Amino acid sequence: MSETPTGASYAAAGVDIEAGDRAVELMKDWVRKTRRPEVLGGIGGFAGLFDASALKGYERPLLASATDGVGTKVDLARQLGVYDTIGHDLVAMVMDDIVVCGAEPLFMTDYICVGKVHPERVAAIVKGIAEGCVLAGCALVGGETAEHPGLLGPDDFDVAGAGTGVVEAERLLGPDRIREGDAVIAMASSGLHSNGYSLVRHVVFDRAGWSLDREVPEFGRSLGEELLEPTKIYSLDCLALTRTTAVHAFSHITGGGLAANLARVVPDGLHARIDRTTWTPAPVFDLIGKAGQVERLELEKTLNMGVGMMAVVPAGSVEIALTTLRDRGVDAWVAGEITRRGDEATGATLTGDYAA
């Protein structure tokens, strides 16, 4: 007569190892789509392998690394039951930081933390990450899915990632290359991207009392669809720009807004003056401002205001830079210039009023 086990078990504690194994099987095909020639082995090992001999062609290769998450935007994905776009946001947050110094994205790893493993849901998240890696030109070499019952609810999850890129030392971009008279080129964002969602959620839910299925005429779609729009990935566009013209610096517009992020690449003694009249932010920015009675300065400190990436180039390179970006389908324009710093307290300021 067999006895029914009465002792504690991992399954009884809420961790389903079999579900985790199924999730891995479901994601394998998507991970394979990101494969680069330098990647060794496949998914399932304890570590991802990347053949560093590929860097032998560099005189002095510098490895660039970055890590990030998506923030509270993941809660909107959970509420809407849409899991295959949040990965684009994750890749953009990591790899577009890496490309700012001129580095080519090489590989990425992800970390997905869930309250309960739903294999199809985890696979959908990884699908989005893999698609993002393809857009960034990097490989997804590994990751981890952790189940945290009791800490997270059954439908709760979060994502994070880390990436590595490489740049030749003499081609490293940054403040030391910027000169007075350089032009600042703006690249349009696809929307809110992945920053400022704590403010956005407070405005639309707590202050306005809206639901995600609310149809918004200004958007031509529902509020939820607008807020979940994936972050644009600029990595390959930026690398193309470095091949066609002498880019001096890039600035990824994330948390802190346009001026604060641009100021990070402006050297002492110089100043970036950005003219708001050169573009019209998408309707979502105006709607958030009005619905929450958010002052413009606060909006600009929190949201990207329609600009996801900026490039600083020599004045004589503007036309070829714009042509390169537009040929790649990137909406871009000259938004400002680099001047001598006068009485400005910061390295970048916005002037004028946004175009109607």
Side-chain angles (χ1 to χ4, degrees), residues 72-83 86 121 153-157 201 212 228:
T72 58
K73 190 174 183 177
V74 298
D75 189 56
L76 301 181
R78 178 191 62 80
Q79 291 185 55
L80 290 166
V82 177
Y83 304 100
I86 207 76
R121 184 179 302 173
D155 292 328
D156 293 338
F157 74 98
R201 290 164 61 247
L212 290 173
L228 211 59

Side-chain angles (χ1 to χ4, degrees), residues 10 13-16 111-117 144-158:
Y10 216 10
V15 177
D16 189 339
Y111 177 78
I112 303 172
C113 182
V114 300
K116 178 179 176 57
V117 172
E144 172 72 9
T145 300
E147 192 170 21
H148 290 175
L151 183 62
L152 297 175
D155 292 328
D156 293 338
F157 74 98
D158 200 4

Side-chain angles (χ1 to χ4, degrees), residues 280-303:
T280 303
V284 66
F285 299 100
D286 184 58
L287 183 144
I288 296 299
K290 290 179 177 177
Q293 295 181 311
V294 185
E295 296 182 1
R296 184 170 72 180
L297 181 59
E298 183 66 21
L299 279 178
E300 292 176 341
K301 286 168 53 180
T302 310
L303 307 178

Side-chain angles (χ1 to χ4, degrees), residues 19 54 101 113 158 161 164 209 222 227 234 240 273 297 324 327:
C101 68
C113 182
D158 200 4
T164 299
S222 72
L227 298 187
Y234 301 93
R273 181 169 283 107
L297 181 59
T324 298
D327 285 349

Side-chain angles (χ1 to χ4, degrees), residues 5-34:
T6 59
S9 68
Y10 216 10
V15 177
D16 189 339
I17 295 176
E18 287 74 20
D21 291 342
R22 172 164 168 71
V24 171
E25 287 301 316
L26 291 174
M27 69 179 71
K28 281 184 176 181
D29 286 343
W30 290 107
V31 175
R32 289 192 190 100
K33 294 179 186 295
T34 75

Side-chain angles (χ1 to χ4, degrees), residues 42-245:
I43 188 172
F46 284 95
L49 298 175
F50 190 91
D51 187 355
S53 67
L55 308 183
K56 287 182 178 179
Y58 288 78
E59 289 292 326
R60 185 187 170 200
L62 302 180
L63 293 180
S65 66
T67 185
D68 211 336
V70 178
T72 58
K73 190 174 183 177
V74 298
D75 189 56
L76 301 181
R78 178 191 62 80
Q79 291 185 55
L80 290 166
V82 177
Y83 304 100
D84 62 351
T85 62
I86 207 76
H88 287 234
D89 298 292
L90 180 63
V91 175
M93 290 298 98
V94 174
M95 287 308 181
D96 282 348
D97 273 357
I98 283 176
V99 81
V100 160
C101 68
E104 174 192 357
L106 295 176
F107 58 85
M108 182 169 173
T109 57
D110 64 60
Y111 177 78
I112 303 172
C113 182
V114 300
K116 178 179 176 57
V117 172
H118 301 280
E120 289 75 15
R121 184 179 302 173
V122 172
I125 295 171
V126 174
K127 170 180 177 287
I129 297 172
E131 290 173 338
C133 285
V134 171
L135 293 174
C138 66
L140 181 60
V141 297
E144 172 72 9
T145 300
E147 192 170 21
H148 290 175
L151 183 62
L152 297 175
D155 292 328
D156 293 338
F157 74 98
D158 200 4
V159 296
T164 299
V166 63
V167 60
E168 187 69 74
E170 66 176 19
R171 302 188 67 180
L172 183 69
L173 305 182
D176 60 314
R177 290 180 178 261
I178 294 180
R179 299 290 183 268
E180 182 180 3
D182 282 354
V184 181
I185 293 176
M187 302 179 216
S189 67
S190 56
L192 293 170
H193 283 186
S194 300
N195 297 101
Y197 273 78
S198 293
L199 172 64
V200 171
R201 290 164 61 247
H202 171 65
V203 168
V204 300
F205 299 145
D206 301 335
R207 294 183 68 101
W210 294 344
S211 62
L212 290 173
D213 61 1
R214 178 190 178 98
E215 291 296 325
V216 183
E218 295 92 333
F219 302 159
R221 55 182 174 175
S222 72
L223 175 66
E225 289 171 321
E226 178 70 25
L227 298 187
L228 211 59
E229 178 68 31
T231 305
K232 182 169 177 56
I233 298 173
Y234 301 93
S235 302
L236 295 183
D237 304 314
C238 291
L239 291 178
L241 206 56
T242 65
R243 291 192 293 269
T244 60
T245 190

